[in-house]
Amino acid sequence: MGRKEMIAMLLAGGEGKRLGVLTRDLAKPAVYFGGKYRIIDFTLSNCAHSGIDTVGVLTQYQPLELNRYLGIGSPWGLDRRDGGMTILPPYVKQKGGVWYKGTANAIYQNMAFIERYDPEYVLVISGDHIYKMDYELMLEHHKKCGADLTIAGIEVEWKEASRFGVMHIDDEDRITAFEEKPKNPKSNIASMGVYIFTWKALQKYLIIDEANRNSSHDFGKDVIPAMMRDGLRMHCYPFKGYWKDVGTIESLWEANMDLIADEPALSLYDPEWRIYSVSPNKPAQLTTDTAEVTASLVTEGCILEGIVDRSVLFSGVHTEIGSLITESVIMPNVTIGAGAQVHRAIIGEGAVIQAGATIGDPNSDEITVVAVDQFVAVDHQLLEVEPT
């Protein structure tokens, strides 16, 4: 194996409990997003554009669909012998199998994989965020600062700050304090969960953390505070672009709606930074003479006979005559029956909304979620429909 300057370890084992029925049989990084993507496509595309050709994907919860989707990494240029994509599930050792106990433990269990490439730096990233970032520029910042750890940071609204690890930084972007999900945050610079470690420092602290029986083996709760206490050089890489943690129904819906805003904060149409994905290879969409479509993303394979307004439709969706969809996310192969109405909803893959049914309330801010493969009859309250 040739030596790599930096390899990526992509944490993709998220259970995604806050996404409810959407992740009942699916790992969070494999959830659909933006008309033709999965959430993990964004991180993998960032790796492709940043020249990172060696990525370990750490899976755990409901990995079958995610593994099938990733394949050998061809869409992201990771189908190569010297490096490429490697799926890293928890595996059985002589003393038995061990689930990943936390983000740090997941990397610890795969130190042998990292050592194969003898890297100077390790990029640790998550498979459940929507953003476009050049990790090469972040590495330059890391080198310039002579850092042991660089954390990408973004300013968030103060009311949101308690959801994240937050950093206090000085005039030179050095991190002076780090708090993991504080109840009363004193900073609104949130960790994006994008870390560049100098490998020797990371290796040392993973071993120390694993030996600590009182540790939860998490980067934010344990490893980063330990490095902070010992005075290692920790810097923030300030990020000014679009970034969204789509771990809740509300944030997933909002991020999809962001794509169809009058001036989208995240453009999917930048030829310099394409988002790569596995194409469903379906025929072009068909818009009939009874259809009306405004301010929406509609993907291939759709047959449209009804009205679609400010919505995101994935491949293979069929909207029948007289149906109305507003401010909704319709996942692949859904049928919206004649005269059915869908308002502010996320409809899971393969669901059937029967003719005349109404999903969601146009006068409410609540987002209604319909499970994957759910059949929703006219009296849909008797069925498994989850309002958030």
Side-chain angles (χ1 to χ4, degrees):
M1 292 285 176
R3 188 178 189 201
K4 305 286 184 181
E5 182 182 33
M6 182 165 78
I7 70 168
M9 299 294 277
L10 198 168
L11 299 165
E15 189 172 347
K17 286 181 181 177
R18 292 177 300 167
L19 289 175
V21 293
L22 296 178
T23 49
R24 187 173 55 196
D25 302 308
L26 194 65
K28 184 162 63 167
V31 169
Y32 291 99
F33 177 80
K36 62 174 297 174
Y37 307 103
R38 309 278 186 137
I39 295 171
I40 199 171
D41 287 335
F42 287 78
T43 312
L44 288 172
S45 296
N46 289 342
C47 288
H49 291 295
S50 302
I52 297 171
D53 62 9
T54 304
V55 180
V57 181
L58 288 75
T59 61
Q60 180 154 287
Y61 173 79
Q62 294 286 9
L64 291 179
E65 174 64 14
L66 179 61
N67 291 352
R68 184 196 66 76
Y69 180 75
L70 294 174
I72 58 172
S74 302
W76 309 279
L78 293 169
D79 50 338
R80 55 180 71 214
R81 289 188 176 179
D82 182 17
M85 177 187 288
T86 304
I87 307 293
L88 300 169
Y91 56 91
V92 176
K93 305 180 180 67
Q94 279 188 323
K95 295 180 182 178
V98 182
W99 284 104
Y100 293 146
K101 293 176 284 189
T103 53
N105 173 259
I107 305 296
Y108 173 85
Q109 286 199 42
N110 289 285
M111 288 202 302
F113 170 79
I114 297 173
E115 286 165 356
R116 286 167 61 190
Y117 300 99
D118 190 23
E120 284 185 67
Y121 309 102
V122 174
L123 171 70
V124 178
I125 44 184
S126 171
D128 49 16
H129 298 149
I130 303 297
Y131 67 114
K132 298 193 287 191
M133 177 190 275
D134 190 338
Y135 302 131
E136 213 164 19
L137 297 178
M138 185 174 169
L139 179 59
E140 287 174 15
H141 185 80
H142 180 84
K143 291 178 183 175
K144 186 179 76 175
C145 296
D148 297 298
L149 164 62
T150 299
I151 303 175
I154 189 167
E155 283 191 31
V156 296
E157 292 183 31
W158 280 96
K159 64 180 181 181
E160 295 284 313
S162 59
R163 287 179 53 208
F164 304 102
V166 295
M167 297 174 277
H168 301 251
I169 60 175
D170 63 18
D171 294 341
E172 296 179 342
D173 295 326
R174 184 155 185 170
I175 301 169
T176 57
F178 183 92
E179 300 174 280
E180 180 67 10
K181 298 181 180 175
K183 285 186 178 178
N184 300 300
K186 298 180 179 67
S187 166
N188 68 331
I189 300 172
S191 164
M192 296 167 58
V194 178
Y195 311 119
I196 292 180
F197 290 92
T198 297
W199 168 231
K200 295 304 177 190
L202 175 59
Q203 187 179 36
K204 174 184 173 181
Y205 278 86
L206 287 176
I207 293 168
I208 291 170
D209 179 72
E210 188 63 24
N212 181 359
R213 291 187 176 182
N214 296 319
S215 175
S216 57
H217 308 298
D218 182 82
F219 279 116
K221 294 175 186 170
D222 307 290
V223 173
I224 294 170
M227 296 175 82
M228 175 72 66
R229 285 194 297 271
D230 291 349
L232 272 69
R233 291 187 66 86
M234 295 168 54
H235 281 258
C236 174
Y237 176 68
F239 182 68
K240 303 297 183 186
Y242 180 95
W243 177 82
K244 195 95 166 180
D245 177 352
V246 287
T248 65
I249 291 297
E250 291 82 0
S251 59
L252 180 65
W253 179 85
E254 286 168 3
N256 275 282
M257 293 300 107
D258 286 346
L259 299 174
I260 51 178
D262 290 341
E263 295 182 11
L266 177 74
S267 172
L268 300 176
Y269 298 92
D270 180 358
E272 301 297 316
W273 204 276
R274 289 177 57 199
I275 305 301
Y276 302 110
S277 68
V278 178
S279 174
N281 193 22
K282 292 197 173 185
Q285 69 178 67
L286 172 64
T287 305
T288 67
D289 57 1
T290 60
E292 294 178 31
V293 182
T294 51
S296 297
L297 286 177
V298 181
T299 316
E300 64 261 51
C302 289
I303 300 174
L304 307 182
E305 299 178 275
I307 297 171
V308 179
D309 180 39
R310 291 161 293 149
S311 295
V312 175
L313 274 60
F314 287 77
S315 63
V317 171
H318 184 188
T319 69
E320 295 181 356
I321 291 174
S323 61
L324 171 64
I325 300 169
T326 60
E327 295 186 324
S328 294
V329 179
I330 315 297
M331 292 187 174
N333 304 316
V334 167
T335 297
I336 309 292
Q341 297 197 9
V342 179
H343 306 284
R344 288 178 71 91
I346 299 177
I347 310 297
E349 180 179 11
V352 176
I353 310 302
Q354 194 185 49
T358 298
I359 304 294
D361 180 354
N363 300 313
S364 169
D365 288 339
E366 275 198 339
I367 300 154
T368 303
V369 183
V370 174
V372 172
D373 292 328
Q374 184 70 53
F375 181 87
V376 180
V378 176
D379 186 9
H380 67 270
Q381 292 178 339
L382 302 177
L383 288 140
E384 186 182 354
V385 177
E386 282 203 353
T388 60

